[in-house]
Amino acid sequence: MLFTKKMEPSCSYCQRGKAVTPETVLCKKKGVVSIDSACSGFRYDPLKRVPPRPITPDFSKLSEEDFSL
C-alpha cells in the first residue's frame, strides 16, 4: 500500500512548503524548517510525497528445482 490513512504530517509533503535543500523546507508559516517537522497549518499534497521503494526479492536462496515443473 503506497498511501496509508494514518500518515504522520511532515513539511516535506505539505502544500505550504517548498524544498530548499534535501534536509530543509521553506514553510510559508514558519520559515526554514527541517523536513521532519510539521505545524498546525499542515495541508497534505499527494504529489509531493515520495513513497518508499519496494523491497527487492532475494533469489539467491532459490535453486533450479524451485523453477522446474
Side-chain angles (χ1 to χ4, degrees):
M1 182 175 239
L2 295 177
F3 300 105
T4 61
K5 290 185 180 184
K6 292 187 178 187
M7 187 182 318
E8 293 282 329
S10 173
C11 288
S12 61
Y13 45 85
C14 178
Q15 287 178 351
R16 297 177 179 176
K18 189 169 197 172
V20 178
T21 66
E23 295 88 27
T24 59
V25 174
L26 180 61
C27 178
K28 289 182 181 180
K29 290 186 81 173
K30 300 276 185 168
V32 178
V33 294
S34 70
I35 60 170
D36 298 333
S37 63
C39 65
S40 61
F42 174 75
R43 300 281 183 248
Y44 179 63
D45 186 2
L47 298 177
K48 287 187 178 179
R49 185 168 179 269
V50 179
R53 297 189 64 80
I55 299 171
T56 56
D58 183 21
F59 294 119
S60 64
K61 297 178 183 175
L62 301 175
S63 65
E64 287 290 327
E65 293 176 0
D66 294 330
F67 295 101
S68 64
L69 294 176

